[in-house]
């Protein structure tokens, strides 16, 4: 089986250019279903999840062409209303095709989604949103069937600011009649990026005081859009610099998107420098411990929780990390314990007592981010580790081993 062989213990040093954001590329590609005109998306990373979404869209009838990091999606003459299970079960983001299909065609059949095993991750809020927009929603076995003559604008209040539900509602409402207002909407940078594409396609969208307003249109037109840089990839590599007591710069980023991480890294004793589009960290001491809670943007993101815990595993004292977005996101803790880390998990809180050093391990990546965290732990460990199940890491990190090798990591893909 394919795995990374990692010889750890070397401080990383150098510059890594950051790719486009996976979590922005996926919904923006789905938005192409809202029009028959061509939609071009630039800065699309080469990732397994992106391949899955593009296969989903082309299986629905679109013609998709990739040139480098640009994806062109044009009409193939028809759109199918039924998405295939093989794509949606691989990745939760494929479920986003539901709203655009019903908005365009009046009906859609989409299997219930798969994706990272990081908690229950229901789709009730997606469906509640579509019902509020006037759709009839039926769940039949493992499929959802939705019909609507024409979606109509509505007031929707989300009990939690779900990223996926906000994106689902925003795309559906863009082709509804009248205004939709979504209270307590998610406004992560990736959601805002999708809104920017929709505006280029002719939508009118505003976000004021936590409420998202979408003025529905009878049709939308084509557009060209470059997705934002990946703040999760940038954060992972900055943490790799700190974990290996090295000096890493990430370029092509929006530093504001990394603000919560950077202030935590400063608290741990890292030296941070920023320019308009780059951030550097130098860490030449044991980090100070932290008390952290994950939260919606601009709070500390759940997707960087696991790599941050790896940093805290060698901190000079006791840290606590509370996971408040997903209920099953400490799946990697057992592997870190096998590496010598002292971590106790109780419900959604991990208590981490820092140790001087981590030891090598043979482990399997449980999901995208926990997989990346195990790679970072292996880079800090005093010997040779193997991390398998690279399918998970390849879903979310473009050319991880090349980027890490370029800053001095001894990491090889085997098999
Ligand atoms: C997206 C991101 C993921 C990130 C997460 C939180 C993509 C492709 N993935 O996932 O990387 O970790 O946001 O920032 O963009 N919930 C419900 N009912 C629903 C939908 C969600 O209860 O219908 C709950 C979830 O179980 C979770 C919380 O809401 O506890 C947040 O989930 P959500 O924001 O929807 O995450 P995703 O869109 O799946």
């Amino acid at each position: 089986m394919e795995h990374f062989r990692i010889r750890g213990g070397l401080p990383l040093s150098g510059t890594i250019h950051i790719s486009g954001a996976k979590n922005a590329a996926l919904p923006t590609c789905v938005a192409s279903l809202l029009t028959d005109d061509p939609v071009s998306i630039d800065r699309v990373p080469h990732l397994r999840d992106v391949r899955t979404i593009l296969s989903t869209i082309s299986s629905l009838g679109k013609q998709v062409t990739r040139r480098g990091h640009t994806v062109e999606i044009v009409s193939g003459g028809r759109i199918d209303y039924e998405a295939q299970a093989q794509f949606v079960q691989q990745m939760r983001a494929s479920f986003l095709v539901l709203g655009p299909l019903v908005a365009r065609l009046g009906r859609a059949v989409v299997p219930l989604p798969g994706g990272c095993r990081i908690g229950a991750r229901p789709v009730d809020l997606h469906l509640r949103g579509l019902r509020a927009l006037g759709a009839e929603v039926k769940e039949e076995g493992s499929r959802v069937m939705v019909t609507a003559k024409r979606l109509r604008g509505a007031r929707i209040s989300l009990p939690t600011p779900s990223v996926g539900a906000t994106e689902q509602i925003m795309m559906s409402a863009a082709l509804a009649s009248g205004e939709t207002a979504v209270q307590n909407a998610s406004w992560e940078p990736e959601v805002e990026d999708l809104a920017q594409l929709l505006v280029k396609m002719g939508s009118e969208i505003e976000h004021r005081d936590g409420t998202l307003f979408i003025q529905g249109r009878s049709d939308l037109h084509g557009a060209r859009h470059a997705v934002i840089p990946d703040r999760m990839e940038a954060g992972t590599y900055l943490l790799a610099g700190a974990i290996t007591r090295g000096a890493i710069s990430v370029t092509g980023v929006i530093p504001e998107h990394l603000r919560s991480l950077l202030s935590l890294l400063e608290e741990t004793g890292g030296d941070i420098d920023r320019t308009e589009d780059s951030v550097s960290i130098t860490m030449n001491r044991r980090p100070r411990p932290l008390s952290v809670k994950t939260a919606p943007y601009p709070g500390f993101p759940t997707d960087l929780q696991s790599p941050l815990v790896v940093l805290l595993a060698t901190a000079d004292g006791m840290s606590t990390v509370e996971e408040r977005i997903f209920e099953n996101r400490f799946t990697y803790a057992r592997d870190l314990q096998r590496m010598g880390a002292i971590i106790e998990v109780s419900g959604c809180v991990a208590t981490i007592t820092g140790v001087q050093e981590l030891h090598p391990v043979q482990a399997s990546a449980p999901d995208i981010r926990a997989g990346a965290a195990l790679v970072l732990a292996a880079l800090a460990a005093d010997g040779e580790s193997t991390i398998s199940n690279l399918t998970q890491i390849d879903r979310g990190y473009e050319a991880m081993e090349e980027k890490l090798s370029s800053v001095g990591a001894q990491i090889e893909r085997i098999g």
Side-chain angles (χ1 to χ4, degrees), residues 1-2 22 25-26 44-56 66 86-87 90-94 368 389-400 413:
M1 196 173 36
E2 250 194 348
K22 166 180 87 74
L26 300 176
V44 177
H46 288 275
L47 296 173
R48 187 175 283 265
D49 275 7
V50 168
R51 284 204 296 279
T52 305
I53 206 75
L54 295 178
S55 303
T56 312
R66 267 202 94 133
Q86 69 181 104
F87 303 121
Q90 271 181 52
M91 184 187 70
R92 189 176 163 81
S94 303
I368 304 176
N389 201 22
L390 300 189
T391 314
Q392 285 298 331
I393 293 174
D394 293 339
R395 289 182 52 200
Y397 289 89
E398 183 173 55
M400 179 183 250
R413 185 182 288 254

Side-chain angles (χ1 to χ4, degrees), residues 186-409:
S186 163
W187 202 238
E188 303 281 316
E190 295 76 18
V191 177
E192 186 176 357
D193 204 37
L194 173 64
Q196 300 232 343
L197 169 63
L198 294 176
V199 167
K200 289 179 188 170
M201 293 172 74
S203 293
E204 203 183 308
I205 299 179
E206 254 193 282
H207 184 256
R208 272 183 272 127
D209 307 324
T211 300
L212 185 59
F213 297 91
I214 306 124
Q215 310 300 331
R217 295 274 181 268
S218 52
D219 53 18
L220 295 175
H221 52 74
R224 176 161 207 142
H225 183 72
V227 298
I228 54 170
D230 197 315
R231 61 194 170 110
M232 305 313 172
E233 189 199 24
T236 302
Y237 293 134
L238 288 170
L239 282 158
I243 286 163
T244 61
R245 313 293 186 259
I248 291 284
S249 299
V250 289
T251 56
V253 299
I254 299 174
E256 177 61 22
H257 289 172
L258 291 159
R259 200 208 289 216
S260 60
L261 172 68
L262 298 183
S263 70
L264 290 174
L265 286 173
E266 272 169 343
E267 248 185 82
T268 64
D271 284 329
I272 306 282
D273 273 323
R274 320 155 204 227
T275 69
E276 209 171 273
D277 64 353
S278 74
V279 176
S280 310
I281 181 162
T282 305
M283 188 87 183
N284 42 28
R285 45 162 291 163
R286 248 180 114 180
R288 287 190 283 268
L290 293 176
S291 178
V292 184
K293 291 175 181 174
T294 61
Y297 188 80
F300 180 69
T302 171
D303 283 359
L304 290 177
Q305 178 258 96
S306 51
L308 181 72
V309 166
V310 176
L311 177 67
L312 300 177
T314 59
D316 191 7
M318 199 175 83
S319 303
T320 55
V321 174
E322 187 177 341
E323 173 55 59
R324 302 210 302 181
I325 310 292
F326 292 111
E327 68 275 21
N328 187 23
R329 230 177 177 179
F330 290 118
T331 47
Y332 60 89
R334 195 176 293 261
D335 289 319
L336 286 186
Q337 285 161 351
R338 292 199 290 129
M339 299 178 83
I342 303 176
I343 303 182
E344 267 179 57
V345 178
S346 171
C348 58
V349 179
T351 306
I352 305 125
T353 307
V355 294
Q356 285 280 355
E357 55 184 15
L358 296 174
H359 308 302
V361 75
Q362 297 203 338
S364 166
D367 62 64
I368 304 176
R369 307 299 167 188
L374 290 175
V375 169
L376 301 197
L379 289 170
D382 57 352
E384 191 174 289
S385 297
T386 56
I387 307 295
S388 59
N389 201 22
L390 300 189
T391 314
Q392 285 298 331
I393 293 174
D394 293 339
R395 289 182 52 200
Y397 289 89
E398 183 173 55
M400 179 183 250
E401 68 272 32
E402 284 165 35
K403 291 190 180 192
L404 285 170
S405 298
S406 77
V407 293

Side-chain angles (χ1 to χ4, degrees), residues 86-142:
Q86 69 181 104
F87 303 121
V88 186
Q89 277 160 5
Q90 271 181 52
M91 184 187 70
R92 189 176 163 81
S94 303
F95 194 68
L96 291 177
V97 302
L98 182 66
L101 290 180
V102 78
R104 283 297 301 285
L105 308 170
R107 62 175 171 165
V109 178
V110 177
L112 287 163
C116 285
R117 292 191 197 93
I118 54 176
R121 299 184 93 183
V123 287
D124 56 320
L125 301 178
H126 297 235
L127 302 183
R128 196 201 284 189
L130 286 168
R131 282 195 180 100
L133 293 170
E136 191 183 323
V137 178
K138 282 193 211 146
E139 286 180 61
E140 229 188 57
S142 57

